[in-house]
């Protein structure tokens, strides 16, 4: 087929069930005369009403409830909520509690990033339909990913009481702080994981990514002294600088036809990118020295900035960071004098943003005079990334129009998986089918 | 119809019972409730692992000489109905149709991945009960509560089943 013939055709690409992403959704791409006239990532999972479920609940109840929003990033939901309430109530936690919360977040990032790289995204790059097929040909690679994922889960289990939906986070600290002896057994598997993560960076830096360049507005927390988990200002590549409680000064949620999830936009209607690539671009100087050195050795910071497919490399560098920082935190750990400080509720607005594995997660609660939630707003990263995903699809799709359907579909799915979307969080997935007129 | 139950005192190989689910999410707590009701003498013959969501690490940790019973609530089955399927058959289903699980690899792909890494699927069976409601804070639905004894009975059968008869009837 010639380029002219291709351009004259109208095509509708429907990714009815997008696989290897978290949750359930579909992609519709309509192409007319060589141009994408519609790119719509639809989320058809029923809304889950968590914002209503937390109304009339106490802050500690909210922290346990919001953890159920996601099985991959429950810590993120707990961290945004607990920091929002503590900021509102003026609670100051023990520095060791602050460190333990970073360690808890390290565990979640390690588990989530290792899962995404090895079981969901790497098969795309290596031409396998799944991690199962990859495991049949390259068992050591998959075992490497599973080793790292396991140590992430072990951190969550020790600090959170269990690996899925941890139960120990409380306003003012933790329900219980671990003894040093409980953390020591993590040291050896973390040392192995660090070597595995370095090998992961070398592996993914050598992959071939599709040619695609676009420079989105990138948004992430930024802290002058540490790679962002729970603290820092919301910053962007175009100069934004906000307290983590002030997300809604620059962004807003919008209802979009055909999807159950709210999208988020800048106040002027613009889209933006969250997640590992944005954090690497905005926060590279704050990476753990071991991660910074590994990133520098790749020479690919610019590629991460302009080609979303290289988010797999950003995620791998963050794996090194999270593992190296976890080792440091364990080595320097001293149990806090008080695992949980006393606090009292006060009416007001409790708002905070932290960095989930997939990007900025904003929570806002209105707390009444009884200390119960009167209204809640939860803005997950996938909701915020949906606009950028659709922008990328509009830009990228023309380059695959001449490919066979199966290959075009694979490239489109791979692009969406680059965002590690968690559609469950946004309300839950993607199967790609191409219909031609 | 379930086969005749062997005598609980008969020697049998160790069984690893992987119990999935979340007790605070309605019918998702069915497996935990059924296992809690196991007769102590039968429960003592199994290694019981409460694993929340089935993960490949759980299956890789099953010793080669042990049998594995994965218990969970299931969708796509009539609420309260007890179903069973060899893990090998579950692994064969992986990749047929899109995964419907939300947060990690779905159970069939978890079993298939474990099979790829172990060289073969762990010997054993999946035992499930159809669930109706999985809402946060909800108890078991009436249908699942009514089917719970049948689920417990089926788990007992699998723990006591001799190795040559592992494939469920």
């Amino acid at each position: 087929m010639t380029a002219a013939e291709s351009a004259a055709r109208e095509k509708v690409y429907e990714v009815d069930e997008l696989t290897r992403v978290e949750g359930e959704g579909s992609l519709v791409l309509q192409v007319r005369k060589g141009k994408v006239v519609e790119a719509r990532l639809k989320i058809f999972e029923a809304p889950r009403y968590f914002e209503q479920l937390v109304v009339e609940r106490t802050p500690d109840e909210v922290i346990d409830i919001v953890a159920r929003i996601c099985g991959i990033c429950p810590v993120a939901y707990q961290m945004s909520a607990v920091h929002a309430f503590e900021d509102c109530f003026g609670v100051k936690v023990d520095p060791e509690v602050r460190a333990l919360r970073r360690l808890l977040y390290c565990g979640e990032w390690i588990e989530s990033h290792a899962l995404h790289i090895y079981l969901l995204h790497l098969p795309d790059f290596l031409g396998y339909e799944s991690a199962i097929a990859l495991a049949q040909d390259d068992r050591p690679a998959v075992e490497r990913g599973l080793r790292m994922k396991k140590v992430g889960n072990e951190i969550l289990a020790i600090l959170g009481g269990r690996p899925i939906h941890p139960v120990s986070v409380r306003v003012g600290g933790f329900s219980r702080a671990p003894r040093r002896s409980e953390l020591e057994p993590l040291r050896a598997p973390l040392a192995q994981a660090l070597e595995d993560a370095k090998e992961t960076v070398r592996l993914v830096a050598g992959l071939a990514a599709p040619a695609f360049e676009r420079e989105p507005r990138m948004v992430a927390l930024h802290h002058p002294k540490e790679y962002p988990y729970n603290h820092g200002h919301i910053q962007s590549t175009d100069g934004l600088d906000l307290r983590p409680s002030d997300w809604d000064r620059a962004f807003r949620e919008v209802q979009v036809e055909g999807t159950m999830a709210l999208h988020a936009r800048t106040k002027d209607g613009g889209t933006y990118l969250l997640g590992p690539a944005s954090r690497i671009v905005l926060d590279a100087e704050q990476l753990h020295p071991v991660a910074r050195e590994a990133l520098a050795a790749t020479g690919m910071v610019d590629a991460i900035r302009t080609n979303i497919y290289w988010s797999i490399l950003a995620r791998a560098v963050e794996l090194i960071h999270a593992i190296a920082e976890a080792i440091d935190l364990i080595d320097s750990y001293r149990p806090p004098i008080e695992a949980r400080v006393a606090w009292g509720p006060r009416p007001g607005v409790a708002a905070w943003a932290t960095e989930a594995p997939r990007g900025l997660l904003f929570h806002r609660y209105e707390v009444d005079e009884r200390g119960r939630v009167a209204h809640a707003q939860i803005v997950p990263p996938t909701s915020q990334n949906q606009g950028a995903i659709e922008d990328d699809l509009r830009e990228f799709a023309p380059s695959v129009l001449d490919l066979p359907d199966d290959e075009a579909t694979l490239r489109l799915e791979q692009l969406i998986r680059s965002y590690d979307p968690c559609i469950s969080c946004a309300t839950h997935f993607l199967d790609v089918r191409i219909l031609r007129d | 119809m379930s086969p005749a139950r062997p005598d609980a005192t008969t020697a049998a190989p160790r069984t690893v019972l992987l119990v999935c689910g979340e007790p605070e999410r309605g019918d998702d707590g069915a497996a935990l409730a059924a296992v809690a009701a196991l007769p102590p003498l039968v429960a003592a013959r199994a290694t019981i692992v409460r694993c929340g969501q089935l993960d490949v690490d759980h299956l890789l940790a099953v010793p080669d000489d042990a049998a594995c019973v994965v218990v969970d609530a299931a969708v796509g089955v009539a609420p309260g109905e007890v179903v069973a399927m060899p893990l090998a058959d579950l692994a064969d289903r992986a990749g047929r149709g899109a995964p419907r699980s939300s947060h990690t690899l779905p159970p069939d792909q978890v079993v298939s991945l474990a099979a790829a890494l172990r060289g073969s699927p762990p010997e054993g069976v999946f035992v499930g009960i159809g669930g109706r409601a999985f809402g946060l804070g909800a108890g078991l639905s009436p249908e699942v509560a009514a089917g719970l004894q049948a689920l417990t009975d089926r788990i007992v059968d699998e723990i006591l089943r001799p190795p040559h008869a592992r494939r469920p009837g």
Side-chain angles (χ1 to χ4, degrees):
Chain A
M1 181 170 49
T2 66
E5 288 170 331
S6 173
R9 293 173 57 189
E10 179 170 311
K11 299 180 182 179
V12 178
Y13 289 66
E14 288 197 17
V15 183
D16 287 338
E17 295 175 77
L18 187 59
T19 54
R20 281 186 278 137
V21 304
E22 309 296 341
E24 300 177 26
S26 69
L27 163 67
V28 175
L29 264 185
Q30 190 163 4
V31 183
R32 191 175 295 145
K33 296 180 179 176
K35 291 191 174 178
V36 177
V37 295
E38 183 186 22
R40 182 77 58 85
L41 182 62
K42 293 182 174 179
I43 292 175
F44 45 78
E45 173 159 313
R48 302 194 298 164
Y49 307 115
F50 273 94
E51 287 155 321
Q52 194 58 37
L53 278 173
V54 299
V55 170
E56 282 292 313
R57 300 287 189 165
T58 65
D60 280 338
E61 289 173 334
V62 170
I63 290 166
D64 282 346
I65 290 171
V66 297
R68 268 70 172 181
I69 292 176
C70 184
I72 294 291
C73 46
V75 170
Y77 284 89
Q78 293 187 312
M79 289 297 109
S80 289
V82 78
H83 285 88
F85 290 124
E86 288 173 353
D87 183 56
C88 180
F89 303 154
V91 179
K92 301 294 179 197
V93 301
D94 188 297
E96 287 296 343
V97 165
R98 187 183 191 279
L100 276 178
R101 288 176 174 173
R102 284 188 70 81
L103 180 58
L104 186 61
Y105 234 144
C106 286
E108 180 161 284
W109 279 30
I110 296 166
E111 192 276 341
S112 178
H113 282 4
L115 168 74
H116 188 262
I117 291 170
Y118 279 94
L119 300 187
L120 305 176
H121 209 193
L122 187 59
D124 281 337
F125 286 87
L126 298 178
Y128 293 97
E129 64 176 2
S130 70
I132 299 161
L134 173 60
Q136 287 161 346
D137 280 0
D138 192 351
R139 179 172 159 173
V142 174
E143 288 178 332
R144 186 187 309 125
L146 291 173
R147 274 196 302 270
M148 291 187 284
K149 180 175 175 294
K150 186 176 183 181
V151 76
N153 277 336
E154 287 170 347
I155 293 172
L156 295 179
I158 290 173
L159 293 186
R162 54 188 188 181
I164 311 271
H165 304 144
V167 291
S168 64
V169 177
R170 287 290 174 266
V171 175
F174 285 88
S175 56
R176 173 186 177 275
R179 296 183 294 273
R180 267 195 69 84
S181 59
E182 291 175 84
L183 299 181
E184 289 292 346
L186 292 168
R187 194 63 176 70
L190 278 167
Q192 172 64 54
L194 186 55
E195 296 309 309
D196 287 336
K198 290 176 183 174
E199 179 57 31
T200 303
V201 167
R202 286 191 287 269
L203 169 68
V204 301
L207 297 170
F212 176 57
E213 285 202 2
R214 190 173 79 85
E215 289 198 50
R217 176 184 293 161
M218 297 173 132
V219 176
L221 286 181
H222 175 82
H223 189 284
K225 295 182 178 174
E226 62 191 25
Y227 203 67
Y229 288 121
N230 291 318
H231 298 93
H233 276 205
I234 301 170
Q235 295 195 351
S236 70
T237 45
D238 60 348
L240 186 72
D241 188 0
L242 292 170
R243 287 193 79 237
S245 55
D246 291 342
W247 178 90
D248 49 2
R249 288 192 179 186
F251 307 99
R252 62 191 170 89
E253 288 186 301
V254 294
Q255 184 76 54
V256 176
E257 188 182 348
T259 179
M260 297 291 192
L262 293 170
H263 287 207
R265 297 281 188 276
T266 59
K267 291 274 186 176
D268 61 6
T271 64
Y272 54 99
L273 174 65
L274 306 176
S278 295
R279 290 191 294 253
I280 290 289
V281 167
L282 288 161
D283 301 302
E285 289 303 310
Q286 285 70 37
L287 281 166
H288 191 282
V290 180
R292 205 163 56 229
E293 183 183 345
L295 175 63
T298 69
M300 294 177 69
V301 175
D302 282 344
I304 291 172
R305 184 200 315 274
T306 58
N307 185 340
I308 188 63
Y309 286 99
W310 287 114
S311 69
I312 192 171
L313 177 59
R315 208 165 276 112
V317 170
E318 286 193 335
L319 255 181
I320 296 182
H321 172 87
I323 294 166
E325 181 171 350
I327 292 171
D328 290 351
L329 288 166
I330 289 171
D331 286 350
S332 62
Y333 177 64
R334 297 286 180 274
I337 296 167
E338 286 184 291
R340 183 184 187 190
V341 297
W343 57 278
R346 62 173 76 145
V349 172
W352 204 260
T354 70
E355 286 286 347
R358 291 155 184 80
L360 197 73
L361 168 61
F362 177 70
H363 287 209
R364 181 181 184 279
Y365 303 97
E366 292 174 17
V367 182
D368 67 19
E369 61 283 351
R370 301 169 301 149
R372 291 181 180 265
V373 168
H375 182 268
Q377 180 187 21
I378 297 172
V379 189
T382 296
S383 297
Q384 299 180 69
N385 271 339
Q386 272 189 263
I389 295 174
E390 293 179 353
D391 286 351
D392 273 356
L393 288 166
R394 268 189 291 274
E395 289 277 330
F396 180 73
S399 69
V400 302
L401 294 183
D402 289 335
L403 296 176
D405 283 2
D406 287 353
E407 195 172 335
T409 293
L410 176 63
R411 294 287 180 87
L412 295 171
E413 284 189 311
Q414 186 181 0
L415 178 66
I416 294 168
R417 279 193 285 271
S418 297
Y419 286 86
D420 188 12
C422 186
I423 299 174
S424 312
C425 291
T427 85
H428 264 294
F429 145 87
L430 245 12
D431 169 29
V432 180
R433 189 175 52 174
I434 299 177
L435 302 178
R436 297 179 187 274
D437 287 350
Chain B
M1 190 171 70
S2 295
R5 183 176 300 173
D7 180 350
T9 61
T10 305
R14 196 75 184 163
T15 299
V16 177
L17 202 57
L18 299 177
V19 189
C20 308
E22 162 63 66
E24 294 154 33
R25 300 209 61 145
D27 291 339
D28 200 31
L32 290 154
V35 168
L38 286 173
L41 279 177
V42 177
R45 296 174 65 158
T47 301
I48 299 174
V49 180
R50 290 170 178 81
C51 57
Q53 293 176 333
L54 184 66
D55 193 282
V56 68
D57 288 330
H58 296 122
L59 294 169
L60 294 176
V62 176
D64 289 342
D65 61 349
C68 177
V69 180
V70 178
V71 192
D72 199 357
V75 292
V77 180
E81 182 182 350
V82 175
V83 295
M85 176 184 285
L87 293 180
D89 290 358
L90 196 60
D92 286 345
R93 285 163 52 106
R96 281 191 220 155
R100 307 299 299 179
S101 179
S102 57
H103 295 301
T104 185
L105 294 180
D108 55 349
Q109 292 193 17
V110 170
V111 176
S112 186
L113 181 56
L117 294 170
R118 289 174 62 113
S120 62
E123 184 195 341
V125 62
F126 168 82
V127 178
I129 184 168
R132 183 172 63 78
F134 299 89
L136 189 66
L140 297 178
S141 66
E143 296 95 327
V144 170
L148 211 55
Q149 186 58 52
L151 179 61
T152 300
D153 290 347
R154 188 57 191 256
I155 297 167
V156 170
D157 288 344
E158 294 301 333
I159 292 173
L160 300 180
R161 189 183 296 280
H164 62 273
R166 277 285 168 202
R167 294 183 71 86

